[in-house]
Amino acid sequence: MKISVLVFGQIAEIVNTEKLILQNVKDTDELNEQLKKEYPLLQKLAYSIAVNKKIIQSNTILTNEDVVAILPPFSGG
Amino acid sequence: MKISVLVFGQIAEIVNTEKLILQNVKDTDELNEQLKKEYPLLQKLAYSIAVNKKIIQSNTILTNEDVVAILPPFSGG
Amino acid sequence: MRIYFAQVKKNIGAHSIFLGQVRNDIINQQEVKAIEYSAYNEMAEEKFHEIREDAFKKYDLICMHIYHSMGVVNAGEISLFVFVSSAHRKEAIKACEEIVERIKKEVPVWGKEVFVNENHQWKINS
Amino acid sequence: MRIYFAQVKKNIGAHSIFLGQVRNDIINQQEVKAIEYSAYNEMAEEKFHEIREDAFKKYDLICMHIYHSMGVVNAGEISLFVFVSSAHRKEAIKACEEIVERIKKEVPVWGKEVFVNENHQWKINS
C-alpha cells in the first residue's frame, strides 16, 4: 500500500518537502499521529486534511494510491 | 415676485418646456394647484418638489428669486 | 498568471467596481435601442458630492470615482461607473453597493427608453 | 460624458467587479514587499469550478470571470479578479461578493508575505 501525502504552505516549510510517500497507514488518524510524531512542530498548527481532493470531517480509511493533502488555513485572495 | 419653475423628464414633455416663470405664488401648495389646473395630466403623476435644490416634505413659503423644481421619480443608473 | 494594474497606492487592498449598462429590453414587443439620460445638473452635482462625502465618513476608503453618462447611451454601453478602493474588501464592497443604491434613489437623473421604432417611455427604477 | 465598453451582450444591465490588491502592510516594523502565492492546483481548480457552478445556479447571471494570481505578486499589484455580469444589479453585486468570500474561505491557496528584508510570514485571512 502506498499513500501520497502532499503538504503546502507553512507545513511544507516544516516538513521540508512538498510530497511524502507513506506505506502502511490504515486511516487518517494514524497518518496524523505519524506526522505529528515525526514533525513535532505540527502539533501547534491548525490544518485540514483532504483525501483525494475532498476535505474530510472525521477519521477516514485510506486505500492504496490515495492522495492525502495536509492543508494549513487558506489565505488566497 | 418672480419664481422660476424647472421641470424635467416626463413632466417637461407634458408642460412642453423646461422652465416656467411664475409671479404671485405664495407657497408650494399654491404652485402645485396652479400647475395641476394648467396641466391636468400632472394630476395622475407622482413627483417631488425641490426648492433651491432641496426636496421639500411639506408646504413651503416661496420668496422672490426662488428656484422650484418639479421632479418625476428618478431613474438614473 | 499575474494581473498588472496601474495603481501606486500600495495601502489599497481591494477595489469594488460597479458598471451599469443599458439593456435592449423588449417591452410590449418593442426593443429598447438606447436610453437618453437628462438631469437637474446643479442638484445632481450636489447629490453626488453628498453621497461621496457620506461614504468617506462612513467607510474607511482610500479613493472613489463616480461617473454617470448623460445624453443618449446605446444598448450595450455603460451608463454608470462606480469605483471604490479601500484597505479591506468588506469596506470597499459595502461602500460601492451603498453608493450605487443611493445614486439610483437620490440623484435627479431621468432615463428615457428609446425604442427601435423611435417611440419612447420613461424608465422606472426597480 | 459617455463611457464605451467592449460588450456585445446587450441583455446585461450590471457588472460587479472585485479586485484584490497586495498591500505594503507594516508588520512589526517590517514592510511587506510582495505576497508569494502557492496552491494545491488540482483541488483549487475543482473548487473554482464548484464556486462558479453554484453561483450560476443560485443567481441569474450572464457571465463570470475569476482569476487568481500565482507566484510572486508585488505590493500594489492585483492578486484576485472577479467579474460578474447579470441583467440586474442586485444579482451581480450579491453574486460577486459571495464568490469573493468563498474564494477566501474555500480555495486551497496560500499567501506568503515577503518583507523588504527577505524575512517572511504566512498570511492569515480575515
Side-chain angles (χ1 to χ4, degrees):
Chain A
M1 175 163 138
K2 195 189 99 182
I3 305 292
S4 302
V5 181
L6 308 177
V7 291
F8 297 95
Q10 188 170 13
I11 293 175
E13 280 188 337
I14 289 168
V15 171
N16 205 24
T17 180
E18 292 180 347
K19 188 173 178 181
L20 304 165
I21 305 289
L22 298 188
Q23 315 231 332
N24 304 322
V25 274
K26 69 173 191 302
D27 56 32
T28 52
D29 277 0
E30 194 180 310
L31 171 70
N32 218 351
E33 236 170 74
Q34 284 192 22
L35 287 173
K36 286 183 173 173
K37 204 160 156 191
E38 188 93 3
Y39 308 100
L41 281 171
L42 292 188
Q43 289 165 25
K44 296 187 292 184
L45 290 177
Y47 52 84
S48 315
I49 295 176
V51 177
N52 302 325
K53 295 182 272 176
K54 300 293 169 205
I55 290 176
I56 58 162
Q57 306 298 339
S58 57
N59 187 31
T60 299
I61 302 291
L62 296 173
T63 58
N64 191 34
E65 303 287 339
D66 274 351
V67 177
V68 179
I70 310 297
L71 309 170
F74 305 153
S75 53
Chain B
M1 175 165 140
K2 195 189 98 184
I3 304 293
S4 302
V5 181
L6 308 177
V7 291
F8 296 94
Q10 187 170 14
I11 294 175
E13 278 190 335
I14 289 168
V15 171
N16 205 22
T17 180
E18 292 181 346
K19 189 174 178 178
L20 304 163
I21 305 291
L22 299 187
Q23 316 232 332
N24 302 323
V25 274
K26 69 173 192 302
D27 57 31
T28 51
D29 277 0
E30 193 180 310
L31 171 69
N32 219 352
E33 238 170 74
Q34 284 192 22
L35 287 173
K36 286 184 173 172
K37 204 160 154 189
E38 188 93 6
Y39 307 99
L41 281 171
L42 293 187
Q43 289 166 22
K44 297 187 293 183
L45 289 176
Y47 53 82
S48 315
I49 295 176
V51 176
N52 301 325
K53 293 182 274 177
K54 299 294 168 203
I55 289 176
I56 57 161
Q57 305 298 338
S58 56
N59 187 30
T60 299
I61 302 291
L62 295 173
T63 59
N64 191 32
E65 303 287 340
D66 273 352
V67 177
V68 179
I70 309 297
L71 310 169
F74 305 154
S75 52
Chain C
M1 188 191 139
R2 189 186 298 183
I3 305 158
Y4 285 97
F5 190 64
Q7 178 54 260
V8 287
K9 287 182 183 155
K10 294 184 181 176
N11 55 337
I12 291 174
H15 307 279
S16 183
I17 304 164
F18 179 84
L19 298 171
Q21 185 171 307
V22 173
R23 287 193 311 269
N24 66 341
D25 282 352
I26 309 293
I27 302 168
N28 298 328
Q29 292 159 316
Q30 295 183 65
E31 183 183 345
V32 172
K33 75 166 182 184
I35 294 180
E36 186 176 346
Y37 288 99
S38 56
Y40 181 5
N41 288 316
E42 296 88 338
M43 186 177 157
E45 272 162 35
E46 282 189 16
K47 264 294 165 190
F48 277 123
H49 185 75
E50 181 189 320
I51 290 169
R52 184 183 166 83
E53 295 298 300
D54 286 353
F56 270 109
K57 266 180 228 153
K58 185 166 173 185
Y59 299 101
D60 192 12
L61 304 180
I62 296 167
C63 51
M64 184 195 310
H65 303 281
I66 303 176
Y67 299 105
H68 196 304
S69 304
M70 282 293 138
V72 175
V73 181
N74 294 318
E77 291 178 355
I78 297 299
S79 54
L80 175 63
F81 175 69
V82 177
F83 193 124
V84 179
S85 306
S86 170
H88 300 285
R89 74 183 181 283
K90 288 181 191 194
E91 299 278 303
I93 290 171
K94 278 165 73 178
C96 185
E97 181 175 6
E98 185 173 311
I99 290 164
V100 171
E101 294 301 323
R102 286 194 64 183
I103 289 170
K104 294 252 176 190
K105 279 198 196 75
E106 299 178 31
V107 180
V109 171
W110 297 275
K112 188 169 87 171
E113 291 170 321
V114 182
F115 297 104
V116 171
N117 66 5
E118 298 299 334
N119 285 348
H120 73 264
Q121 72 171 22
W122 291 87
K123 186 170 169 254
I124 295 166
N125 273 356
S126 58
Chain D
M1 188 192 137
R2 189 187 299 182
I3 305 158
Y4 286 96
F5 190 63
Q7 177 55 257
V8 286
K9 287 183 183 155
K10 294 184 180 175
N11 55 337
I12 291 174
H15 307 278
S16 183
I17 304 164
F18 179 84
L19 298 171
Q21 184 170 307
V22 172
R23 286 193 312 270
N24 66 341
D25 282 352
I26 310 294
I27 301 167
N28 299 328
Q29 292 159 319
Q30 295 182 67
E31 183 182 344
V32 172
K33 75 165 179 183
I35 294 180
E36 186 177 346
Y37 289 99
S38 56
Y40 181 4
N41 288 317
E42 295 87 341
M43 187 177 156
E45 272 162 36
E46 282 189 14
K47 265 289 165 194
F48 278 122
H49 184 75
E50 180 189 320
I51 290 169
R52 183 183 166 83
E53 295 297 301
D54 286 354
F56 270 109
K57 265 181 231 154
K58 186 168 172 183
Y59 298 101
D60 191 12
L61 306 179
I62 297 169
C63 52
M64 185 194 309
H65 303 280
I66 302 174
Y67 299 104
H68 196 303
S69 304
M70 282 292 138
V72 175
V73 182
N74 296 316
E77 292 177 355
I78 298 298
S79 54
L80 175 63
F81 174 70
V82 177
F83 192 124
V84 179
S85 306
S86 170
H88 300 285
R89 73 184 182 283
K90 288 182 191 195
E91 299 278 303
I93 290 171
K94 280 165 73 179
C96 185
E97 180 174 8
E98 185 174 310
I99 290 164
V100 171
E101 293 302 322
R102 287 194 63 182
I103 289 170
K104 294 252 175 190
K105 281 198 195 77
E106 299 178 31
V107 180
V109 170
W110 297 274
K112 189 169 87 170
E113 292 171 321
V114 182
F115 297 105
V116 170
N117 66 6
E118 300 298 335
N119 286 348
H120 74 263
Q121 73 171 24
W122 291 88
K123 185 170 170 256
I124 295 166
N125 273 356
S126 57

